[in-house]
Amino acid sequence: MFTTRFAPSPTGYLHKGHAASALTAFEAARAAGGRFLLRIEDIDATRCRPHYEAAIYEDLAWLGVDWETPVRRQSEHLGDYEAALARLEADGLLYRCFRTRKETAEAIASAPHGAMEVFRGGPLPADEAARRLAAGKPFAWRLSLEAAARRLGGFGGLSFVEQGQGEIAARPELGGDLVLARKDIGVAYHLAVAVDDARQGVNHVVRGVDLFEATHVQRLLQALLDLPTPVYRHHPLVLGPDGRRLAKRDGAQTLRDLRERGMSAAELRKELGFG
Ligand code: GLU
């Protein structure tokens, strides 16, 4: 069955861009007689706030979107992400990255062929990594593109279907060796999303084109974790009056502000092309 989702992070109030995303997914599910799920992407406890989560439910209900319950909250499934990470590690696909932000910036600045080469360069020399591990230094887990390519025989066989455009070759290597578990929160966005979309049976991912590159990386994780690949639909972003993409910092555009200023959900839906 057609199953899609809207997956906001409760790090701010929803704005028109989120409304467009939620409505695109919701209407697609409705047209297909399928399922619409809501997922709260709240793994980053340093930035997520309960009142933003409460506002997500309120704003979506106002918009006329309804979703299946229970809602999946990522913070309640950390064990799933740890299990996926452990599997990748057991498969020899990860390495501990002890580099500090400053060291990363310096390594990029001094790299002869630009940043990509740095992250392809892999871990610190083994003795230095062992020294930092023994000293209890914090580390992130990075995916080794080199090991991943070896395991899959290159990335040439990786692709995904973009709705309306057909098959697109995945280029996960463009992002370098990805952080799959952050130093501070023990997990990172891409891994959680790849695991969750599979766990929830999501077979159509509808999201903004700003996440197009994320899809290439998530496609690689699907291959490494034997997860199915959904069909993707990356919709254009809603632009502000200045022609720039909306961001949470543009407070004036939040759905609650629009509502307080007297805009009705019907008017907003119409403006966004869901009349
Ligand atoms: N949580 C992400 C965001 O709010 C969206 C993730 C996704 O749709 O895959 O930008």
Side-chain angles (χ1 to χ4, degrees), residues 5 7-9 41 189 193 207 211:
R5 51 46 164 205
S9 302
E41 304 215 318
Y189 161 72
V193 168
R207 59 187 179 191
L211 288 167

Side-chain angles (χ1 to χ4, degrees), residues 36-70:
F36 173 79
L37 310 177
L38 176 62
R39 182 165 78 225
I40 301 294
E41 304 215 318
D42 60 348
I43 47 176
D44 186 351
T46 64
R47 294 175 58 228
C48 295
R49 299 286 175 267
H51 65 277
Y52 289 135
E53 182 176 337
I56 288 172
Y57 302 131
E58 212 176 283
D59 291 347
L60 290 179
W62 171 75
L63 205 56
V65 165
D66 63 73
W67 55 90
E68 286 185 20
T69 50

Side-chain angles (χ1 to χ4, degrees), residues 135-152:
K137 297 283 180 211
F139 59 85
W141 284 109
R142 277 191 195 270
L143 178 68
S144 162
L145 279 176
E146 198 186 313
R150 222 178 305 123
R151 153 92 183 268
L152 299 174

Side-chain angles (χ1 to χ4, degrees), residues 5-11 18 21 39-42 74 189 193 197 205-208 210-211 214 218 232 245 248:
R5 51 46 164 205
F6 175 56
S9 302
T11 54
H18 294 107
S21 224
R39 182 165 78 225
I40 301 294
E41 304 215 318
D42 60 348
Q74 291 187 324
Y189 161 72
V193 168
D197 282 338
V205 171
V206 176
R207 59 187 179 191
D210 54 328
L211 288 167
Q218 289 163 23
Y232 289 87
R245 60 174 286 204
K248 284 177 181 163

